[in-house]
Amino acid sequence: MVARLPDRGINAPRRLPRPVEVAESTESAGRHNWLLYVFLFFLPLQNIQTGYMPNLGGGLNFLNIGFMLSLIGAIRCRGSLSRGSPVHKWIIAYVLANCVALMVGYNMLHLEEDGRFNSLKDAMIAVMLVFVVEMSVTNWATLKRVILVTLLPMPYMLRVTWVEHAGVDTSHYKDSLRIQGTFSLLGANEFAAFCVMMAVLLLALLLVGKFSWRWRALLGAGIACMVLGVIWCYSRTAYVTIIVGVLCVLLLMRGRLKMILPLLIAGLVLPAVMPESVTERFQSTSIEQGSRDESTEMRFKFWEIAWEHFNAHPAFGIGYKSFQAREYNPYGMDTHNFFMRELAEKGLFGFLITTGLFLSLLAASWRAMRVSRHESFAYPLGIGMVAAWFTLLVGNFWGDRFTYYPLIGYFWVYLGLMLKAQEFELAEQAAIAKASTDAPKPEVTVRRFAQPRPRNA
C-alpha cells in the first residue's frame, strides 16, 4: 500500500517525509485475525493439545479445526499474498512432491496401522501457515501483533521445562535429563531445535530492530526462556546450532564490530557458569569411528540403510514416511538425517524439489535483508530468517527439524511476516521516491546584472 502524502500547496517549502512518518501512515485500521492468534498461541503447546483438548476423531482435533478457523479469519481480513518472491512456487512444488511420495508409498508398502496420511497432513498444515499469515497481515500493526502472540507462550514453556528439569536430581549428565518440554509427542532434540530457532529470530529483532523499550523487554524475556530451554534439553546439536545462529546474526548486522568485546567476554564466562552436566554432554560428542557413543553410532547405520534404498529406487524413492517400517529398516527408526530420508523416501525427484525450496528460502530472506532500510522491521526479520535457516540446515543433518508442526510452524509464520514486511517496506520506499519526484522545486530568482561596458567606450 502506497502512503498518500498531504498536499501542502505549491508554494510550501520542500520537505520529504521521514521513514517513520511513512510507516505511521501505513498503520491504518485493519482487521485482526483473532482466530489465528489463538491458534498460534497453542501451536507449540503440544502437551495442552494432547492432554486437555478433545480429539473427536475423523480429523476433528485442535490442529485441523484451528487451521480451518484461522484460514476463515484470514479470508475475512481481505489481505493478499506478498508479490515478487518465487518462494511461493517452491512451497507449492514441495507440497505436491510430498503428495507424490505418499502415493508411491501406498503403492509399494501396505501397512495395517497406516498413519502416513495424517503425518503428511499435519506437516503440510505447518507449511500452509505462511499463506494464512500473509493473508492476515495487512499493516504494521497486525504484523507486530503476530510477533507478540508468538512471544506469549514462552513463559509457560519455560515453566514446564523447569519443572521437568528440577524433577531429575543429579549434577552429572544422564539420559533422564533429556526432557521434552511442551512437545509431549516428540523429544528433547525437537524441543531444543524449536528453542534455538526462536532464540535466533528474537535475537535479531532485539539487536537490529528499532523497537521501544517495552518491546525490547519482551524480546529479551523470550530469548531468556528459549536459551534456558536449549540448556536443559541437553541436545548436542542444539548447542552447535545456537552458536551458528548467533554468529550469523552478529556477522550480518550493522555495527557488528562493537559486538567483538561482548563476544569475547561471553566466550570466557559461559564455560565457567554452565552446569557440569551440560559440559559433560557437550564433550561427549565425537564422530570418529571407535569413539562414537551409541546414539551417534546408530545414526551412521541408519544412513547406510537409507543410501541402499536410494540406490535401489533412485527416481521416486520408497515413499513418504516408509523408512521407519521394519520392511525397510529392521531397527524401526527414522534416519535421523532429514536429507538422507528425503533421498530414500522421495528419490531425486523429491530431493531436488526440497533442495530448491531450501535455497529459495535463503534467497528470499537474503533479499529482504538487502533491499530494506536499516530502520525498517523487514531488515531484522531478514537477518533473523537467514540465521534461522542456517540453524535448520545444520540441525537437519542430525535429525528431522523440518516436518513436525510444533517445531517448524513458527518458522513458516515468520517467513510470512518477513515477506509482508518486505512488501510494506518496498511500498514505503516507492512512496518516498514518488514524493521526492512530485515535490515542487524551490523557485530560483535570477538576478540581472548590467552588461559590462567595453573598454574603448
Side-chain angles (χ1 to χ4, degrees):
M1 182 178 66
V2 179
R4 186 174 181 180
L5 301 175
D7 185 7
R8 299 178 180 273
I10 193 171
N11 295 322
R14 184 185 184 189
R15 185 181 70 86
L16 297 181
R18 296 176 299 171
V20 175
E21 293 176 352
V22 179
E24 291 175 351
S25 67
T26 62
E27 293 277 3
S28 58
R31 295 185 178 183
H32 288 281
N33 190 349
W34 297 103
L35 296 173
L36 174 63
Y37 298 158
V38 175
F39 181 65
L40 293 183
F41 176 83
F42 287 105
L43 188 63
L45 307 182
Q46 197 177 47
N47 60 328
I48 294 180
Q49 301 168 25
T50 57
Y52 299 96
M53 296 183 180
N55 186 349
L56 304 178
L60 298 178
N61 55 26
F62 160 78
L63 186 64
N64 298 277
I65 296 176
F67 178 78
M68 292 304 301
L69 293 176
S70 300
L71 180 60
I72 294 172
I75 295 173
R76 291 186 66 254
C77 289
R78 300 177 182 177
S80 61
L81 301 181
S82 58
R83 298 177 294 273
S85 176
V87 70
H88 293 137
K89 297 179 181 178
W90 281 106
I91 292 174
I92 298 300
Y94 174 72
V95 173
L96 294 177
N98 278 275
C99 294
V100 171
L102 181 65
M103 295 298 103
V104 171
Y106 282 157
N107 184 61
M108 296 186 63
L109 179 65
H110 299 279
L111 300 175
E112 294 182 0
E113 296 182 2
D114 197 337
R116 287 176 288 184
F117 174 78
N118 288 330
S119 176
L120 176 61
K121 171 184 60 65
D122 294 348
M124 294 305 101
I125 283 179
V127 175
M128 292 296 107
L129 276 175
V130 64
F131 300 115
V132 176
V133 169
E134 289 184 56
M135 294 168 61
S136 303
V137 173
T138 56
N139 52 29
W140 291 115
T142 51
L143 186 147
K144 290 186 289 186
R145 185 68 61 89
V146 174
I147 295 177
L148 176 62
V149 170
T150 61
L151 292 172
L152 295 180
M154 293 182 181
Y156 173 76
M157 299 176 75
L158 175 63
R159 178 181 177 275
V160 173
T161 308
W162 164 249
V163 170
E164 292 181 352
H165 174 74
V168 182
D169 185 16
T170 180
S171 59
H172 297 279
Y173 174 76
K174 58 182 181 180
D175 289 340
S176 58
L177 284 170
R178 303 294 310 281
I179 59 179
Q180 56 195 26
T182 58
F183 289 7
S184 57
L185 300 180
L186 301 175
N189 290 326
E190 289 76 21
F191 184 73
F194 172 86
C195 294
V196 169
M197 178 186 69
M198 291 306 300
V200 168
L201 283 168
L202 299 182
L203 179 67
L205 293 176
L206 178 65
L207 295 181
V208 186
K210 306 298 181 181
F211 289 96
S212 64
W213 67 268
R214 292 184 179 88
W215 268 98
R216 291 183 177 276
L218 290 173
L219 293 171
I223 294 172
C225 293
M226 294 295 97
V227 169
L228 289 174
V230 174
I231 293 174
W232 291 336
C233 282
Y234 294 92
S235 172
R236 293 170 293 186
T237 305
Y239 295 157
V240 174
T241 53
I242 195 170
I243 294 174
V244 171
V246 170
L247 289 178
C248 285
V249 172
L250 297 178
L251 291 175
L252 293 174
M253 64 178 287
R254 184 184 182 186
R256 50 188 172 268
L257 294 179
K258 64 183 179 181
M259 300 300 298
I260 293 178
L261 181 59
L263 278 177
L264 292 176
I265 296 175
L268 295 174
V269 173
L270 284 179
V273 300
M274 282 293 173
E276 186 177 357
S277 55
V278 174
T279 304
E280 293 174 352
R281 178 62 171 167
F282 191 82
Q283 292 177 347
S284 67
T285 305
S286 177
I287 61 174
E288 295 182 4
Q289 190 171 5
S291 60
R292 306 167 187 160
D293 61 276
E294 183 181 0
S295 176
T296 305
E297 185 65 32
M298 291 303 298
R299 280 174 163 83
F300 282 89
K301 292 182 179 180
F302 299 153
W303 299 346
E304 291 177 3
I305 297 173
W307 186 253
E308 292 175 0
H309 289 307
F310 167 67
N311 288 330
H313 307 278
F316 294 96
I318 59 177
Y320 180 81
K321 285 288 184 181
S322 297
F323 184 82
Q324 297 185 38
R326 294 192 179 273
E327 289 82 352
Y328 291 117
N329 181 9
Y331 298 98
M333 298 285 288
D334 185 55
T335 57
H336 289 75
N337 183 312
F338 173 74
F339 300 107
M340 289 298 297
R341 195 182 72 194
E342 291 291 287
L343 276 174
E345 294 185 346
K346 301 176 185 176
L348 283 175
F349 170 74
F351 180 79
L352 292 177
I353 291 179
T354 301
T355 302
L357 173 64
F358 262 78
L359 294 178
S360 70
L361 293 173
L362 177 62
S365 303
W366 191 268
R367 181 174 185 269
M369 177 188 68
R370 298 295 296 176
V371 304
S372 303
R373 296 164 298 173
H374 292 163
E375 61 269 21
S376 169
F377 291 153
Y379 181 62
L381 282 172
I383 291 179
M385 286 299 296
V386 171
W389 184 89
F390 277 102
T391 65
L392 288 176
L393 180 69
V394 176
N396 277 299
F397 279 104
W398 297 95
D400 181 359
R401 309 291 186 261
F402 201 68
T403 63
Y404 299 116
Y405 74 87
L407 190 167
I408 201 64
Y410 276 11
F411 176 83
W412 295 107
V413 169
Y414 274 79
L415 176 65
L417 295 178
M418 183 200 71
L419 293 175
K420 294 300 290 187
Q422 176 185 297
E423 182 180 7
F424 297 158
E425 164 67 7
L426 293 177
E428 291 180 4
Q429 292 183 17
I432 295 175
K434 186 175 185 302
S436 176
T437 303
D438 297 343
K441 297 181 179 180
E443 296 182 359
V444 179
T445 303
V446 180
R447 297 183 62 183
R448 298 179 179 273
F449 296 93
Q451 295 294 331
R453 300 175 65 180
R455 292 183 179 179
N456 298 330

